[in-house]
């Protein structure tokens, strides 16, 4: 058994959030720490009535279409087994548990000061009288065929590790029909152990792709495409989101990032690892060039640019190590120009 005590009122003041939200954040934070130590998934008791509460809660706060896709049956970390029960089955289960077990109710659940409680106590009874089908409503906006429970654990010898990043050529993207584009994205997401995109999310991303830049973020990954650039599908757990490291072995400097390595002879220890900063320039044959422009020309997604390792010489950037992002990429500039 694991017991954790936190001073929620103090944390709520510090985070500038309500008690209920702070408690939820702390609860899941501690649960995630457990799952990292012991490979597992988190099971919660959310059911279809909770989903209806959440819909109206989000809508009263100005939520849009995404409000209807909240509480998926499995989001890569949390699994909701009770959403598979029909309304009557859920009621029977609750009555059985109440008869044979002691239920500890959080006293805040009946406090009308919280909007969620008012929705539960005042709105849901009206919906029940009007024969609202909570189970059917939930599955109108979720797809059980997408359910694929996986979690990060120690890989067995026969277990394949899902890729964390895909780069789809611009030419391939442009040659496909609209349905084929979604199938292409969904296929790669499946290879990464993720759900297909919701239709509304895909349509929004495709509409953006007709402009200068398209960007989509969900709980598990990022999708990015510049106007004439390749399409990137990147897992949020990709090693590309970790800082590069460097170390020395003899007269050689080694830089590691994104599971790739770069080595350079450095007997005088004049080279070092660095990263991009706003307004920074790099020396090329014809003069100096904005590093941000180099990143754009190579199609590097904006949210990854600060992670791209840069080789420095005596505290000046001299080469962008694009080869660590992808082995097919060439470092820029190809030749290193040093001011002596």
């Amino acid at each position: 058994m694991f017991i954790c005590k936190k001073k929620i009122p103090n944390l709520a003041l510090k985070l500038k959030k309500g008690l209920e939200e702070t408690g939820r954040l702390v609860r899941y934070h501690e649960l995630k720490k457990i799952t990292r130590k012991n490979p597992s998934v988190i099971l919660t008791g959310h059911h279809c009535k909770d989903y209806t509460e959440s819909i109206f809660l989000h809508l009263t706060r100005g939520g849009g279409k995404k409000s209807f896709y909240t509480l998926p049956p499995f989001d890569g970390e949390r699994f909701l087994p009770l959403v598979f029960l029909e309304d009557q089955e859920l009621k029977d289960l609750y009555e059985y548990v109440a008869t044979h077990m002691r239920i500890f109710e959080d006293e805040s659940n009946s406090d009308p000061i919280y909007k969620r409680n008012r929705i539960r106590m005042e709105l849901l009874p009206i919906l029940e009288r009007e024969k609202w089908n909570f189970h059917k409503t939930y599955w109108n906006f979720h797809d059980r065929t997408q359910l694929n429970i996986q979690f990060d654990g120690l890989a067995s010898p026969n277990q394949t590790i899902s890729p964390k990043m895909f780069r789809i050529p611009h030419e391939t993207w442009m040659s496909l029909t609209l349905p084929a584009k979604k199938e292409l994205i969904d296929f790669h997401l499946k290879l990464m152990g993720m759900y297909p995109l919701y239709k509304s999310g895909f349509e929004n991303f495709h509409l953006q792709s007709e402009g200068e830049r398209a960007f989509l973020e969900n709980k598990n990954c990022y999708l990015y495409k510049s106007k004439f650039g390749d399409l990137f599908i990147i897992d949020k757990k990709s090693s590309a989101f970790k800082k590069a490291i460097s170390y020395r072995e003899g007269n050689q400097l080694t830089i590691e990032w994104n599971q790739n390595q770069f080595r350079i002879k450095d007997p005088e220890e004049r080279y070092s690892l660095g990263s991009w900063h706003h307004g920074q320039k790099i020396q090329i044959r014809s003069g100096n060039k904005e590093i941000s422009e180099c990143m754009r020309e190579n199609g590097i997604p904006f949210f990854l640019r600060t992670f791209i390792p840069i080789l420095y010489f005596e505290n000046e950037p001299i080469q962008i190590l694009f080869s660590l992002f992808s082995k097919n990429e060439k470092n820029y500039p190809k030749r290193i120009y040093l001011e002596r």
Side-chain angles (χ1 to χ4, degrees), residues 153-338:
L154 299 175
S156 63
N158 298 323
Q159 182 180 354
T160 58
I161 300 176
S162 300
K164 301 298 183 183
M165 182 187 304
F166 285 106
R167 185 170 185 170
I168 300 167
H170 170 72
E171 294 75 15
T172 300
W173 175 261
M174 296 302 296
S175 68
L176 299 175
T177 62
L178 186 64
K181 287 178 179 177
K182 186 175 188 307
E183 288 180 8
L184 178 72
I185 292 176
D186 289 346
F187 172 74
H188 285 87
L189 288 174
K190 185 176 182 179
L191 292 177
M192 298 169 80
M194 299 179 187
Y195 302 123
L197 287 183
Y198 287 117
K199 184 179 179 181
S200 59
F202 167 74
E203 290 175 346
N204 181 43
F205 180 79
H206 186 264
L207 184 62
Q208 291 182 54
S209 71
E210 296 176 354
E212 292 299 317
R213 185 178 76 181
F215 175 68
L216 176 66
E217 175 186 2
N218 60 31
K219 288 186 178 181
N220 300 309
C221 69
Y222 296 102
L223 269 70
Y224 174 84
K225 189 184 183 308
S226 58
K227 188 170 185 178
F228 301 108
D230 297 339
L231 167 65
F232 289 91
I233 305 175
I234 307 176
D235 190 327
K236 286 187 173 180
K237 296 178 181 177
S238 168
S239 56
F241 292 107
K242 297 180 180 179
K243 290 185 178 181
I245 61 171
S246 65
Y247 55 89
R248 298 182 185 277
E249 293 179 328
N251 66 350
Q252 184 173 262
L253 173 68
T254 300
I255 296 174
E256 292 184 352
W257 180 68
N258 197 32
Q259 299 181 331
N260 293 316
Q261 284 188 343
F262 170 85
R263 294 187 178 93
I264 188 169
K265 289 184 178 180
D266 186 23
E268 299 179 5
E269 298 189 3
R270 302 172 76 182
Y271 292 100
S272 62
L273 166 66
S275 58
W276 168 69
H277 303 288
H278 183 72
Q280 208 170 29
K281 294 185 178 181
I282 194 167
Q283 185 179 356
I284 59 175
R285 182 188 295 273
S286 58
N288 294 318
K289 188 172 182 178
E290 289 272 358
I291 292 180
S292 59
E293 182 62 25
C294 301
M295 298 279 194
R296 283 193 291 271
E297 289 178 354
N298 274 65
I300 304 299
F302 68 91
F303 50 85
L304 277 178
R305 292 173 188 171
T306 57
F307 292 96
I308 301 292
I310 296 177
L311 183 66
Y312 278 64
F313 180 80
E314 295 183 345
N315 298 320
E316 290 294 327
I318 59 169
Q319 192 173 54
I320 307 170
L321 304 182
F322 289 126
S323 63
L324 298 185
F325 178 63
S326 171
K327 292 180 180 179
N328 297 325
E329 296 285 339
K330 302 294 184 182
N331 294 330
Y332 185 85
K334 294 180 181 178
R335 288 187 57 192
I336 298 176
Y337 301 94
L338 301 175

Side-chain angles (χ1 to χ4, degrees), residues 76-116:
E77 294 178 339
R78 293 184 297 164
F79 176 52
L80 281 55
L82 297 186
V83 298
F84 293 89
L85 298 181
E86 298 274 358
D87 293 355
Q88 186 58 48
E89 291 175 327
L90 180 66
K91 184 178 179 181
D92 293 342
L93 175 63
Y94 186 85
E95 289 177 353
Y96 177 85
V97 171
T99 302
H100 295 83
M101 301 179 187
R102 184 180 177 185
I103 299 176
F104 294 89
E105 189 77 25
D106 188 329
E107 60 184 21
S108 67
N109 286 345
S110 59
D111 192 338
I113 192 174
Y114 299 112
K115 182 185 292 186
R116 180 181 288 276

Side-chain angles (χ1 to χ4, degrees), residues 46-49 51-52 55 68-74 79-87 89 132-147 195 198:
H46 293 96
H47 45 71
C48 297
K49 277 191 176 182
Y51 165 73
T52 302
I55 290 176
F68 294 93
Y69 299 104
T70 188
L71 292 179
F74 183 65
F79 176 52
L80 281 55
L82 297 186
V83 298
F84 293 89
L85 298 181
E86 298 274 358
D87 293 355
E89 291 175 327
W132 181 286
N133 191 317
F134 296 96
H135 181 265
K136 183 177 180 181
T137 302
Y138 179 89
W139 289 107
N140 280 340
F141 296 97
H142 297 88
D143 187 356
R144 69 181 69 210
T145 63
Q146 296 177 6
L147 191 62
Y195 302 123
Y198 287 117

